[in-house]
Amino acid sequence: MQRLVLLFRNKFFWVTAAFLVWMLFFDKNDLLSQYQYHQQLSKLKTERDFYTKETAKVSKDLSELTSNPAQLEKFAREKYLMKKDNEDVFVIVKDKSDN
């Protein structure tokens, strides 16, 4: 008990306690801010991974389209509904209510 009283009477204890309270709750980089920064960093890493995979996929598709004319023609027909002069294109769309 006597040691506890001496501890509370020590000015260095109070300065250290005040410093810790200030750093944990009132500073610009308090615990809540650190948690939010961590969440944001995690979200950005997830987005980075997604866009890295998408970039690799698009690069692969681009290399296939530039090297293979048959693949380029298939892509143009499916994506942009292009056709040859002597062809007709029929687009069949399923209604969502006809499941």
Side-chain angles (χ1 to χ4, degrees):
M1 184 71 174
Q2 184 67 18
R3 292 182 85 186
L4 193 58
V5 171
L6 288 175
L7 180 66
F8 285 132
R9 295 184 90 190
N10 189 344
K11 63 181 174 184
F12 296 112
F13 169 76
W14 288 111
V15 169
T16 304
F19 176 75
L20 287 175
V21 167
W22 179 264
M23 293 305 289
L24 291 176
F25 299 109
F26 300 115
D27 191 48
K28 182 179 84 169
N29 296 318
D30 62 347
L31 287 176
L32 180 62
S33 297
Q34 290 297 323
Y35 178 74
Q36 291 171 346
Y37 294 150
H38 179 72
Q39 293 294 331
Q40 185 179 11
L41 180 65
S42 176
K43 178 184 168 193
L44 289 173
K45 283 181 180 179
T46 304
E47 287 180 11
R48 180 196 64 196
D49 294 341
F50 170 76
Y51 286 121
T52 302
K53 289 176 186 175
E54 286 296 313
T55 303
K57 185 174 118 179
V58 168
S59 296
K60 180 180 166 253
D61 290 344
L62 179 64
S63 66
E64 287 179 6
L65 290 176
T66 55
S67 64
N68 188 356
Q71 187 71 20
L72 179 63
E73 182 179 344
K74 178 183 175 195
F75 179 78
R77 287 175 179 267
E78 291 176 356
K79 182 82 173 173
Y80 297 109
L81 302 176
M82 292 184 168
K83 64 181 185 78
K84 294 182 180 177
D85 290 335
N86 60 353
E87 292 180 335
D88 291 328
V89 175
F90 297 98
V91 178
I92 300 171
V93 179
K94 291 185 177 182
D95 289 337
K96 292 182 180 180
S97 62
D98 289 344
N99 290 334

